[in-house]
Each structure stands twice: as structure tokens, then as C-alpha cells.
Amino acid sequence: MSTSKQRQRAQQAKQEQRQAARRARRRRRTALVAAVAALALVGAFVVAALVNTTPEPAAAGQCEPESTAAREGHELPDPEVAEDRTWTVTMTVCAGGKEQAIELELDGKAAPQAVASFVTLAQDGYFDGTGCHRLTTSGIFVLQCGDPTMQGTGGPGYEFGPIENAPQDDVYPVGTLAMARQGGNGESMGSQFFLVYEESQIPSDEAGGYTVFGKITTGLDVVQAVADGGLAADGVAPASPVTIEGVETQ
């Protein structure tokens, strides 16, 4: 069997495993929501009996990440993994208490290292169950994801550079998919990325701009709805939690 066919079969097997894991997470979440709803209903009946008030409806399921543990130990892939082509990606997220899809298009020609890293991590299930930890709502309008620790400091155990395909005018159009990095360090990219939900001018620093490696083709409304929900009490995370359920590539 050729190496290409072996890789395709391995990728298919991984995707099937992730789909099974996603279904299991969905069943657990559904069971949890049902249990909470049942408890709320019992409590509502008790309160209604005591004070004769109408019970509030049960709250929607929360989209909290499965774990905030580090997921290091991955090896930096060769840029050739990007295959100098366009990739179609389906990122399934839990947002607003329900499962939704965000479709992405990755440019393996313009940003081969970033695409190779993202695709490889996605196929390894790295992003599954991770949350989006940062939302900016003033001046710069992005939702940042890809850090399993939810602290803004996590990564896959490697960093890469240099910066690829950064806009020369520092303008990132709505729908842009770009790599996050440390300020002033063009060799510090890892697994964290950001989705631009409103055109943003992000100034370059001494290292340059930010690697643009793709765009949102469908599901911008999902990100916009998260942004419309505003910030959590910490002023960093979105008030409406977002969890990446799975990422499929082709």
C-alpha cells in the first residue's frame, strides 16, 4: 500500500475515533442537562407549592471545556504536510448551549508552516474538548482559541516561525483566521489561533504582523453571537463559553 493511502486510512481512522468521542461527549452533556433540568423541575414544584409562583425554565446546557490540562509532547510537522493546497476544515463547536459548525478554508500555499501545524494537531485530536479562552470587543475584534489550559500560555510543546502571510497594512478583514503569538517574537507560534469577527487593525510590532493562514467560509454568525454576549467577569473570556468539539480536515 502506498504511503499516501496509508496516511489517508490513518487519518480516516482518527476522524472516526474523534467522531465517536464527540458523540460520547454529546451523550454525557445531554444526560447532564437532563439531570439538571429534572432537579430544577423538582425544586420549582417545591417553591411553587410554598409561594405559588411560576417556575423558571431550565437553563440551557453549558459549553465548558472537558479539561484544562496541558497537551504538550507534539512534534513540529514539516511544512510539506500543507501540500501547497487549499484545505477545507469543519470545526464543530459547542456555543450558546448547542452544537454548531464553523467552516474554514486554509491556505497551504501562503502559510505552509501554520497550515501544517493546524492540520496535524487537528488530525491528532489536539483541539477536541478545548475552550476558546479570550475575546476582545474594543478596537480589535477577535475570538482566540487553541490553548488547552485556557490561560493563554499553553501550547503543543513546540513553537515555530517565521511569520507568514501577514497583511502589510495591518488590517485583518472580517472572517480572517490567524495565528496568535507572543509580542515581539515571530518564532513563538504554536497552537493558539484567532478568528476575526469584525475588521480589525492590529498593529505590527518589532517582529512584524500575524500569520494569516485561512478564513471563515461559514459560521461567522456563530462567532458574532459569542461576541455579542460580551465578556465574562474576568474581562478576558467570553461570557458565553465556547468549546471545540472536533476538527475535521480534507
Side-chain angles (χ1 to χ4, degrees):
M1 184 183 297
S2 67
T3 302
S4 177
K5 289 184 178 179
Q6 288 177 330
R7 183 189 305 167
Q8 290 176 355
R9 292 187 66 176
Q11 291 175 357
Q12 182 178 358
K14 286 181 180 179
Q15 288 188 351
E16 289 174 351
Q17 290 174 352
R18 291 199 301 275
Q19 288 172 352
R22 190 160 64 246
R23 287 193 294 270
R25 287 197 297 272
R26 191 184 303 123
R27 287 194 296 270
R28 289 197 298 271
R29 189 167 62 242
T30 300
L32 177 60
V33 171
V36 171
L39 288 174
L41 187 59
V42 170
F45 275 127
V46 171
V47 172
L50 291 174
V51 299
N52 194 29
T53 59
T54 303
E56 293 292 328
Q62 293 297 303
C63 299
E64 300 290 351
E66 281 190 352
S67 169
T68 55
R71 299 186 182 184
E72 299 179 346
H74 296 262
E75 294 184 2
L76 178 65
D78 191 298
E80 290 185 2
V81 171
E83 298 179 0
D84 196 30
R85 69 175 175 90
T86 299
W87 291 74
T88 300
V89 172
T90 300
M91 185 164 67
T92 303
V93 302
C94 178
K98 60 183 178 180
E99 195 171 272
Q100 306 186 68
I102 299 174
E103 303 285 342
L104 307 171
E105 189 176 272
L106 310 186
D107 191 341
K109 183 175 183 180
Q113 184 63 85
V115 171
S117 175
F118 185 91
V119 167
T120 300
L121 291 175
Q123 292 174 348
D124 287 345
Y126 176 89
F127 299 113
D128 297 4
T130 64
C132 295
H133 63 281
R134 181 174 179 239
L135 176 69
T136 59
T137 59
S138 179
I140 297 173
F141 307 95
V142 306
L143 176 66
Q144 189 166 327
C145 315
D147 176 9
T149 71
M150 296 285 288
Q151 299 297 313
T153 57
Y158 63 75
E159 295 181 340
F160 67 89
I163 296 165
E164 304 171 297
N165 196 39
Q168 303 211 352
D169 59 0
D170 291 340
V171 174
Y172 295 77
V174 60
T176 295
L177 172 65
M179 292 299 302
R181 62 172 176 80
Q182 297 171 7
N185 187 352
E187 303 286 334
S188 62
M189 290 173 281
S191 60
Q192 295 185 45
F193 59 91
F194 59 87
L195 303 161
V196 181
Y197 63 89
E198 185 177 322
E199 183 176 290
S200 302
Q201 184 161 19
I202 307 177
S204 296
D205 57 22
E206 58 268 34
Y210 296 81
T211 293
V212 174
F213 68 103
K215 62 183 179 181
I216 300 172
T217 56
T218 304
L220 180 62
D221 58 317
V222 177
V223 184
Q224 184 65 63
V226 172
D228 290 345
L231 296 170
D234 64 2
V236 178
S240 177
V242 183
T243 298
I244 298 174
E245 297 285 296
V247 184
E248 297 181 9
T249 65
Q250 60 181 8

